[in-house]
């Protein structure tokens, strides 16, 4: 039986919140099973990507370090996108197991459940780091006031997106909307499509 959509989204957002807190104290882990294990792995790449991007923007980091960080960002971003698709594939597999097919004329959505889950993941990271700013040493009240305003906006967006994802899953469960996986086909990481990569390969040969 497919999980209740609202309860599933609550499990996803709880996972994302709890792991962001835990991973700031220990190495990223994955303590989940099934679809939630896939969600956790995708979320982990967002976590790693977020902190590499912080390093990349530091004026105190050497050019050599920046180059290494940029390559890490590229790799994590590719993995992040790959695992968005894996979330959608997990859902499609569950639908097949339950024998659920889209109705005739079922519409497509502008984003998939995997994409919405990715946005919730990034939002959980943003909320965590905004909350950090409220207790940052040396921050004045003007800074905290700005942070509180942004935090409230992010929390409202998180709530709205959570509700929208639950509604989308409900439509998919009922066959009112169909789910497809569209391969993102990032060209910059493909050695057969990125001219800098295939030219370098040809010169090396």
């Amino acid at each position: 039986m497919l999980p209740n959509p609202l309860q599933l989204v609550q499990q996803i957002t709880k996972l994302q919140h709890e792991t962001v807190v835990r991973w700031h104290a220990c190495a990223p882990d994955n303590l989940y099973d099934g679809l939630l294990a896939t969600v956790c792995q995708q979320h982990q790449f967002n976590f790693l990507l977020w902190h590499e991007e912080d390093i990349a923007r530091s004026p105190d980091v050497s050019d050599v370090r920046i180059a290494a960080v940029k390559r890490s960002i590229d790799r994590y971003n590719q993995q992040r996108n790959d695992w968005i698709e894996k979330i959608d594939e997990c859902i499609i597999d569950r639908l097949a197991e339950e024998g659920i097919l889209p109705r005739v004329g079922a519409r497509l959505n502008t984003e998939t459940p995997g994409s919405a889950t990715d946005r919730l993941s990034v939002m959980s990271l943003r909320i965590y780091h905004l909350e950090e700013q409220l207790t940052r040493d040396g921050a004045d009240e003007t800074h905290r006031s700005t942070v509180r305003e942004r935090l409230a906006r992010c929390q409202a967006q998180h709530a709205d997106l959570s509700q929208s994802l639950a509604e989308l899953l409900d439509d998919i469960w009922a066959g009112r909307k169909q789910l497809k996986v569209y391969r993102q086909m990032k060209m910059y990481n493909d050695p057969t499509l990125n001219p800098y990569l295939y030219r370098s390969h040809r010169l090396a040969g």
Side-chain angles (χ1 to χ4, degrees):
M1 179 180 296
L2 292 169
N4 175 278
L6 184 57
Q7 291 177 354
L8 176 58
V9 173
Q10 289 171 343
Q11 290 175 333
I12 288 171
T13 56
K14 182 173 184 286
L15 176 161
Q16 291 169 338
H17 170 74
E18 291 179 347
T19 51
V20 165
V21 174
R22 185 167 73 248
W23 293 344
H24 278 88
C26 69
D29 54 14
N30 191 335
L31 308 177
Y32 302 90
D33 298 310
L35 174 61
L36 290 181
T38 305
V39 168
C40 184
Q41 183 61 69
Q42 196 278 334
H43 182 48
Q44 187 176 129
F45 288 126
N46 273 327
F47 178 89
L48 295 169
L49 179 61
W50 180 285
H51 293 91
E52 289 296 296
E53 288 180 338
D54 277 351
I55 296 171
R57 288 164 176 78
S58 172
D60 302 322
V61 177
S62 69
D63 290 344
V64 173
R65 179 77 171 106
I66 289 293
V69 167
K70 288 291 188 180
R71 289 188 174 91
S72 293
I73 288 172
D74 192 35
R75 184 175 68 255
Y76 289 143
N77 193 48
Q78 181 67 59
Q79 291 169 316
R80 164 201 182 186
N81 284 285
D82 289 345
W83 281 80
I84 288 173
E85 293 175 353
K86 289 181 185 296
I87 292 172
D88 291 325
E89 288 168 350
C90 281
I91 293 173
I92 288 173
D93 288 345
R94 289 294 305 276
L95 292 170
E97 290 170 4
E98 297 295 326
I100 296 175
L101 297 172
R103 301 176 187 175
V104 175
R107 295 172 297 169
L108 289 164
N109 209 55
T110 54
E111 72 174 354
T112 67
S115 295
T117 300
D118 172 68
R119 290 173 60 199
L120 286 169
S121 168
V122 174
M123 191 61 62
S124 71
L125 283 156
R126 186 170 294 123
I127 288 171
Y128 175 89
H129 288 96
L130 282 171
E131 289 174 339
E132 267 192 333
Q133 291 296 312
L134 292 177
T135 57
R136 193 185 86 189
D137 290 342
D140 59 23
E141 183 53 35
T142 299
H143 176 76
R144 291 194 178 96
S145 178
T146 300
V147 169
R148 280 193 290 269
E149 180 183 341
R150 293 180 180 178
L151 182 58
R153 192 178 306 127
C154 287
Q155 289 169 334
Q157 185 178 357
H158 187 277
D160 291 343
L161 181 55
S162 297
Q163 181 62 36
S164 295
L165 175 55
E167 292 171 0
L168 173 59
L169 291 173
D170 188 58
D171 282 338
I172 293 172
W173 279 197
R176 292 186 295 269
K177 287 190 175 178
Q178 57 178 308
L179 173 58
K180 293 182 180 181
V181 177
Y182 292 98
R183 303 299 171 190
Q184 300 185 45
M185 296 175 286
K186 298 289 186 183
M187 295 178 66
Y188 55 78
N189 281 331
D190 190 327
T192 68
L193 295 175
N194 182 330
Y196 285 93
L197 295 180
Y198 62 68
R199 286 172 187 161
S200 297
H201 179 72
R202 187 168 63 242
L203 291 172

